[in-house]
Amino acid sequence: MAISTVTGIAALALALAGCSGAGSEDDSGDAQSSPTATGSAASGESGSTDEPSDSASEEGGDADVSGKALPADADLSKESPSVSPEDAIDTALKKTGDGIVHGIELDWDETDSAWQYEVSILDGNTDHEVEIDAATGKIVDHDKDDTDDEEKAIDLKEPMTFDEALDLAQEKSSGRLVGWKLEYDDGKKEFQFDFDQDGEETETTVDTETKRVTVDDD
């Protein structure tokens, strides 16, 4: 009878050990499928200060892990920087605290030798221009001006997406896309695309409401 009891206890102990081992394997699997640091980094950036050096080191600091910087001669119709326009806008809004996003632009900055976004935000009577490195997501400059202008918010998806506007622009213009912007200007929301064809630059504008395309090749 004593031998039977001991055998039963040993079997129970082995069963419990097996359950414990399986649980640890499940925990390991969950850890591997959890969101990456890049995806969650933005949630911890709202406490950035107005000091450029501090904010630059905190805001978007992990964004460059998703890809390398684009070369200076990149074609923006075929390649995209590591930092998306949406992420650039989020970073800029965290810097200003609030406001109406009425413009975003992406082009090559000769001074810094880098692709940079410029996000325009109106907060009351203050117009902010926040420049963000398109490879790292860090803020590189922040200018503020007083203004009486009234602006309206842009939308990267409505009533027209970047791809839809680019398709319309390329029906009238060709060449390497060296810069673009979406802004509210003179009562219109427009995409502007800058093309370079053998050293000749063409500025092509697409009205997001009417889909009207205009070309300025001066």
Side-chain angles (χ1 to χ4, degrees):
M1 184 70 175
I3 293 175
S4 175
T5 301
V6 170
T7 302
I9 292 173
L12 178 60
L14 287 172
L16 289 174
C19 291
S20 175
S24 62
E25 290 176 1
D26 290 342
D27 291 342
S28 174
D30 292 342
Q32 291 177 358
S33 61
S34 63
T36 64
T38 302
S40 60
S43 63
E45 294 165 4
S46 57
S48 60
T49 67
D50 286 335
E51 298 178 13
S53 59
D54 291 342
S55 61
S57 64
E58 293 175 6
E59 295 182 83
D62 292 333
D64 56 348
V65 300
S66 61
K68 61 182 180 180
L70 294 179
D73 61 350
D75 184 343
L76 297 179
S77 68
K78 301 175 181 178
E79 302 176 88
S80 299
S82 301
V83 177
S84 69
E86 292 84 358
D87 288 341
I89 288 174
D90 287 345
T91 297
L93 282 171
K94 285 168 185 173
K95 182 64 176 176
T96 63
D98 201 359
I100 297 171
V101 179
H102 61 91
I104 181 171
E105 181 175 5
L106 174 63
D107 62 9
W108 178 260
D109 187 279
E110 293 289 349
T111 301
D112 293 336
S113 297
W115 289 98
Q116 294 179 355
Y117 287 102
E118 181 175 277
V119 182
S120 303
I121 300 174
L122 180 65
D123 184 11
N125 291 325
T126 303
D127 201 19
H128 300 262
E129 298 289 345
V130 185
E131 294 183 8
I132 298 164
D133 189 296
T136 66
K138 294 179 180 179
I139 293 176
V140 295
D141 196 16
H142 177 204
D143 291 330
K144 294 182 284 185
D145 291 309
D146 294 333
T147 182
D148 293 326
D149 292 344
E150 294 184 4
E151 305 286 3
K152 291 186 179 180
I154 57 167
D155 192 314
L156 290 164
K157 296 181 179 179
E158 296 292 341
M160 182 181 294
T161 66
F162 172 89
D163 289 338
E164 291 170 340
L166 180 59
D167 286 343
L168 291 174
Q170 289 179 322
E171 291 178 4
K172 299 289 184 71
S173 303
S174 60
R176 180 170 63 93
L177 183 62
V178 297
W180 65 267
K181 68 180 173 181
L182 170 61
E183 66 176 351
Y184 175 80
D185 184 45
D186 294 333
K188 303 175 184 177
K189 296 176 185 178
E190 299 175 327
F191 274 100
Q192 177 182 303
F193 300 98
D194 297 325
F195 296 97
D196 183 294
Q197 182 70 52
D198 299 325
E200 296 291 331
E201 289 202 8
T202 302
E203 180 182 289
T204 305
T205 303
V206 180
D207 188 310
T208 62
E209 294 284 352
T210 66
K211 298 184 179 181
R212 181 171 179 265
V213 181
T214 55
V215 179
D216 182 1
D217 54 5
D218 293 339

